Amino acid sequence: MEVVANKALLCHAIDTSKFSKLAEIKRIITEFASSIDIINMNNIPIDQTIKLLKNENNIQKKVVNFIKQADVYLDDFKYAEADMDIKLRKNGKAIADEHALALPEQLLDQLKLISVYKGHPVPSMIFDSTGTKKIAALASYIIEALEEGRTLIVDELDSSLHFSLTRAIVALFNNELNDMAQLMFTVHDVTLLDCKKLFRKEQIWFVHKDEEQVYLYSLADFTTANTGIRDSTNLLDKYKKGVLGALPDPSFFDSLLEIKSKY
């Protein structure tokens, strides 16, 4: 009979009230875990941004400014007042306000997000691009991480974002003004391979796959003597030449031959 689940830490699952050392370990692990946010760029909850937008305070202003910086035409981004009139249409006929308000709360909140483009307010859910929507959802996590010293883990940070936006987000965390927050992320954008201004060698990691297994290794593993990798090296050029590995080599020609063979 299993007493503890195989994915649970023992010190977190048992009663540590009588074991002071174990209780301290549990406290440290719990505090660390609670300071981590894990985000998938293809499914970012907008709830956190909505929550912050509902309260007019310093954090809310910072979130709005962050979102506005992502689009040159965006004048403002806000959550509409709770008593605003919501007009929806079904089959060309207006739905009564009380029926509109019966929508799920999460959907109703998203409908109240307003983007202002050159003085014209429009529903964010309908008019904003995928990239702007992702920035709006991500903004709260970024600002709170920087404000509270949290650790933010993002899968595919560059998904639907212009490379300059991705680079700007990374620069927020990877500079001397930030001494608490951490950002860990995966990307396919090779333009971020930059040891001259953006990263140190030990901050860049690669994932290489072959038929047998997956390899994870750091740029710092490449010695200058063997590969010529220095802080001034053009890493993008080295990567394209296959020096750093982790370079896919797809061949779709067989697929084309299969298609052509049908005719």
Side-chain angles (χ1 to χ4, degrees):
M1 176 179 176
E2 293 187 2
V3 179
V4 181
N6 60 7
K7 293 184 179 180
L9 293 173
L10 182 61
C11 68
H12 190 270
I14 66 175
D15 181 8
T16 59
S17 59
K18 296 182 180 179
F19 307 94
S20 59
K21 294 293 184 182
L22 201 56
E24 179 64 9
I25 293 173
K26 179 178 179 179
R27 182 190 66 78
I28 293 172
I29 292 175
T30 302
E31 286 184 1
F32 175 71
S34 63
S35 69
I36 299 174
D37 294 311
I38 302 176
I39 304 298
N40 182 340
M41 283 292 285
N42 294 313
N43 186 24
I44 316 173
I46 189 70
D47 309 44
Q48 190 68 9
T49 293
I50 291 174
K51 177 183 175 182
L52 293 177
L53 290 177
K54 286 180 177 181
N55 302 306
E56 291 190 9
N57 53 35
N58 192 40
I59 294 290
Q60 182 245 33
K61 292 178 181 177
K62 291 178 180 178
V63 169
V64 172
N65 286 334
F66 180 88
I67 298 170
K68 287 164 60 178
Q69 291 297 320
D71 192 317
V72 67
Y73 297 113
L74 189 62
D75 296 333
D76 200 4
F77 189 86
K78 57 188 178 181
Y79 179 82
E81 293 77 8
D83 60 350
M84 71 170 266
D85 290 333
I86 299 176
K87 302 293 184 182
L88 300 179
R89 304 187 72 82
K90 183 177 181 181
N91 298 327
K93 296 181 179 180
I95 302 175
D97 286 351
E98 61 270 20
H99 292 160
L101 294 173
L103 290 169
E105 183 178 355
Q106 186 177 24
L107 177 58
L108 191 58
D109 273 339
Q110 291 185 43
L111 287 170
K112 291 181 179 180
L113 289 176
I114 302 299
S115 295
V116 181
Y117 290 99
K118 294 187 175 182
H120 300 286
V122 294
S124 168
M125 189 176 181
I126 298 173
F127 288 91
D128 283 349
S129 67
T130 300
T132 300
K133 289 176 182 176
K134 288 186 177 184
I135 283 290
L138 188 62
S140 56
Y141 292 97
I142 291 176
I143 297 302
E144 286 195 327
L146 293 168
E147 286 278 327
E148 302 172 12
R150 299 179 65 82
T151 298
L152 183 59
I153 301 175
V154 185
D155 185 27
E156 297 191 11
L157 177 62
D158 56 333
S159 176
S160 299
L161 298 185
H162 191 278
F163 75 88
S164 62
L165 284 177
T166 308
R167 192 179 183 91
I169 290 171
V170 173
L172 282 175
F173 289 83
N174 211 23
N175 68 73
E176 59 186 12
L177 295 178
N178 170 41
D179 57 3
M180 297 187 299
Q182 295 186 73
L183 174 65
M184 300 173 62
F185 61 94
T186 64
V187 289
H188 293 95
D189 182 2
V190 294
T191 64
L192 290 173
L193 287 174
D194 180 3
C195 280
K196 297 178 182 179
K197 297 180 179 179
L198 202 57
F199 293 109
R200 300 186 305 274
K201 288 182 183 179
E202 65 271 18
Q203 292 179 302
I204 299 176
W205 289 72
F206 299 92
V207 177
H208 180 82
K209 300 178 182 179
D210 61 22
E211 295 180 355
E212 297 181 359
Q213 59 184 330
V214 177
Y215 306 87
L216 179 65
Y217 53 92
S218 169
L219 179 64
D221 295 337
F222 293 86
T223 61
T224 302
N226 294 333
T227 59
I229 302 296
R230 300 178 175 83
D231 290 343
S232 59
T233 298
N234 185 331
L235 293 179
L236 182 55
D237 183 60
K238 291 283 187 182
Y239 177 74
K240 288 180 177 179
K241 291 178 178 178
V243 174
L244 306 177
L247 187 65
D249 186 22
S251 177
F252 299 122
F253 191 68
D254 288 343
S255 298
L256 177 59
L257 291 177
E258 289 178 6
I259 295 171
K260 296 299 291 183
S261 66
K262 294 180 181 179
Y263 299 97

